[in-house]
Amino acid sequence: MTNTARHTTAIILAAGLGTRMKSRLPKALHRLGNRPMITHLIDTAREIFDDVVVVVGPDMPELEKAVQPYRTVVQTERLGTAHATNTAKDLFGDGDIAVLYADNPLITADTMRRLTEARQGGASLALLGMRPADPGRYGRIVEEQGRVSRIVEYKDANEQEREIALCNAGVMCAGAADFRRWLAAVGNDNAQGEYYLTDVVAMAASEGRVQCVEAPETELAGVNSRVELAQAEATLQQRLRISAMEGGVTLVSPETTFFSTDTCLEPDVVVEPNVFFGPGVTVRSGALIRAFSHLEGCTVGEGAMIGPYARLRPGTICAADTHVGNFVELKNVDLGPGAKANHLTYLGDASVGAQTNVGAGTVTCNYDGYFKHRTTIGARNFIGSDAILVAPVTIGDDALIAAGSTITEDVPAGALAFGRARQTIKPDRGLEIKQTLKAKKEQG
């Protein structure tokens, strides 16, 4: 939060339906970095502004819930950006306000800070501008004698104005009292018949200095379609990858590693190619995440090795020096220090003690069709391959479960448990069966 005497409020416009998204979901709720894109903007705004107010459209309860605990106001009719901003005028306060857009989720705190500093430096209004490679249909920032005089929307611009490279990003900051006065004077005599927020720029320029703060296109470009959403995701992922590597993480193939915004990787973590981090993942120092692994809602301890082709699901905690190998899935599992599950195993709703080895093909049967049940495996156990552990069941420390066993009862500490049919041998019968089948095949 900025440390100034002047109170600041961010007004975030989020009432748009996002028709180009072709979705029933409000545009602001489409996800970037595995969370709604509006939450990115709110979190950044909270670093700079004292308050946040979100303007939503009618019948958007999911959006109102997503932005809690911040205040919301409803724009009952979608009559343009000035109309949306004016809807929140009673919540402007007495200091400065900045108008932001939910579909500009990647604005950085540094850019927001430069915007507020331009305003505090004496500008009657400060706004953000960019010079995109393809200006397309962005509004153009018109300057006269080196000063911003107005903004013209693309649909209302003449050919000369459309040649201007400096484009409007939509974001602007000014005093609350000035904004209220300007908004009351905005009309809708334009090609769209809407109340444009950009019209206040000319009003501000007639009263004082309007300052444009420029920022990169990747930071300010809007998200109005699935294509632009994918482009914004690529920008965000690049930021997250750079941040991870600058923090001491080795990404063997950065472009194939995908993060959530809350992914926490400590220094000296190594991530091999094609790894996906869903929400809520923490990886401690020295851990190795091998190729093609998928992690979500889990914690990986120091020195642990995960993968390749491992899946860690929510609620899983892998302690220090654990090994989770190829085609192993863990869900809501506590894997104790030094424990290993190296091959083709499913452990769900289970606790595994320190130094226990879980053999290939082991399954904890945690669901009976109605309820989930927990399996507790003690320390220093050896669970043989293809063991089926039917929960609820407890296996004490230092036990051995024979390969191929189905365990339905608790196993005491130090015990050897078998749970399989007795082996029967019929001499020469195997050869007889093979010869019979071979003869049938030859006879067609």
Side-chain angles (χ1 to χ4, degrees):
M1 186 170 62
T2 190
N3 184 24
T4 66
R6 183 183 289 128
H7 189 86
T8 56
T9 302
I11 307 296
I12 299 178
L13 306 187
L17 291 173
T19 53
R20 288 170 56 193
M21 288 286 190
K22 295 181 172 58
S23 173
R24 292 177 295 178
L25 193 69
K27 180 167 61 172
L29 289 181
H30 284 268
R31 300 177 76 81
L32 284 174
N34 286 307
R35 66 175 188 168
M37 64 179 174
I38 191 171
T39 62
H40 293 264
L41 190 62
I42 289 175
D43 284 355
T44 306
R46 283 298 294 151
E47 295 183 39
I48 306 300
F49 300 97
D50 300 296
D51 286 327
V52 172
V53 175
V54 182
V55 179
V56 303
D59 301 320
M60 289 185 170
E62 291 176 315
L63 179 56
E64 293 186 60
K65 182 178 179 181
V67 303
Q68 289 178 352
Y70 302 104
R71 295 176 293 173
T72 59
V73 293
V74 179
Q75 183 189 17
T76 55
E77 295 181 274
R78 295 179 174 88
L79 300 178
T81 51
H83 179 266
T85 307
N86 199 45
T87 301
K89 64 182 179 180
D90 292 339
L91 301 179
F92 283 2
D94 297 324
D96 283 354
I97 71 161
V99 181
L100 309 172
Y101 293 81
D103 57 9
N104 287 123
L106 299 183
I107 300 175
T108 64
D110 178 67
T111 294
M112 289 186 187
R113 185 175 294 107
R114 290 193 294 124
L115 180 75
T116 58
E117 287 173 350
R119 161 62 185 155
Q120 294 160 10
S124 59
L125 182 143
L127 56 85
L128 294 184
M130 59 182 173
R131 298 180 186 272
D134 179 11
R137 304 184 69 83
Y138 285 108
R140 302 307 202 264
I141 298 176
V142 180
E143 296 178 303
E144 297 176 0
Q145 298 178 340
R147 302 181 66 174
V148 175
S149 61
R150 60 191 173 91
I151 293 175
V152 58
E153 296 295 338
Y154 180 85
K155 291 181 179 180
D156 301 306
N158 58 39
E159 289 302 318
Q160 182 179 2
E161 290 167 337
R162 290 179 179 183
E163 293 299 318
I164 296 173
L166 185 59
C167 295
N168 174 41
V171 176
M172 54 187 69
C173 181
D178 288 337
F179 249 123
R180 290 191 186 96
R181 180 166 47 82
W182 295 333
L183 289 169
V186 172
N188 64 345
D189 184 17
N190 52 62
Q192 291 291 95
E194 293 185 351
Y195 297 89
Y196 291 151
L197 182 61
T198 50
D199 287 354
V200 307
V201 174
M203 300 178 197
S206 68
E207 299 176 8
R209 176 171 58 89
V210 174
Q211 182 172 341
C212 176
V213 175
E214 293 192 40
E217 176 187 5
T218 53
E219 186 177 329
L220 300 183
V223 177
N224 297 292
S225 68
R226 305 280 183 164
V227 172
E228 292 172 348
L229 183 67
Q231 292 167 345
E233 184 71 51
T235 297
L236 175 62
Q237 290 299 326
Q238 184 66 2
R239 287 185 189 177
L240 296 173
R241 292 162 187 155
I242 291 172
S243 176
M245 291 185 287
E246 289 179 343
V249 174
T250 295
L251 302 181
V252 176
S253 177
E255 68 277 7
T256 68
T257 304
F258 287 83
F259 292 102
S260 294
T261 51
D262 63 350
T263 302
C264 177
L265 306 184
E266 292 184 348
D268 293 321
V269 167
V270 176
V271 182
E272 292 184 354
N274 296 292
V275 173
F276 181 90
F277 293 98
V281 175
T282 298
V283 182
R284 302 298 182 193
S285 181
L288 170 62
I289 311 299
R290 303 198 64 188
F292 293 97
S293 294
H294 185 290
L295 292 77
E296 180 179 2
C298 62
T299 299
V300 176
E302 294 184 5
M305 184 169 66
I306 308 299
Y309 294 97
R311 185 182 181 195
L312 304 188
R313 292 172 57 192
T316 293
I317 300 174
C318 296
D321 301 315
T322 50
H323 289 187
V324 178
N326 48 288
F327 305 107
V328 173
E329 179 179 352
L330 306 185
K331 191 274 290 185
N332 194 25
V333 169
D334 289 325
L335 196 62
K340 299 178 181 180
N342 276 326
H343 322 279
L344 303 161
T345 291
Y346 171 72
L347 302 178
D349 300 300
S351 299
V352 180
Q355 305 300 322
T356 285
N357 186 89
V358 179
T362 296
V363 174
T364 59
C365 302
N366 57 322
Y367 183 53
D368 62 11
Y370 296 94
F371 303 101
K372 297 290 182 67
H373 302 281
R374 195 160 188 86
T375 298
T376 301
I377 302 171
R380 299 174 302 281
N381 281 312
F382 184 88
I383 311 298
S385 297
D386 287 327
I388 305 299
L389 310 179
V390 183
V393 68
T394 297
I395 300 171
D397 296 341
D398 299 300
L400 190 154
I401 306 300
S405 294
T406 298
I407 303 299
T408 59
E409 298 178 0
D410 291 350
V411 177
L416 167 63
F418 289 83
R420 61 192 184 198
R422 183 179 297 276
Q423 181 173 312
T424 300
I425 298 176
K426 295 182 179 294
D428 301 322
R429 183 60 176 152
L431 179 59
E432 292 174 8
I433 291 173
K434 290 173 64 178
Q435 291 173 339
T436 299
L437 293 174
K438 180 180 179 183
K440 287 183 177 181
K441 183 175 182 180
E442 290 174 349
Q443 295 168 8

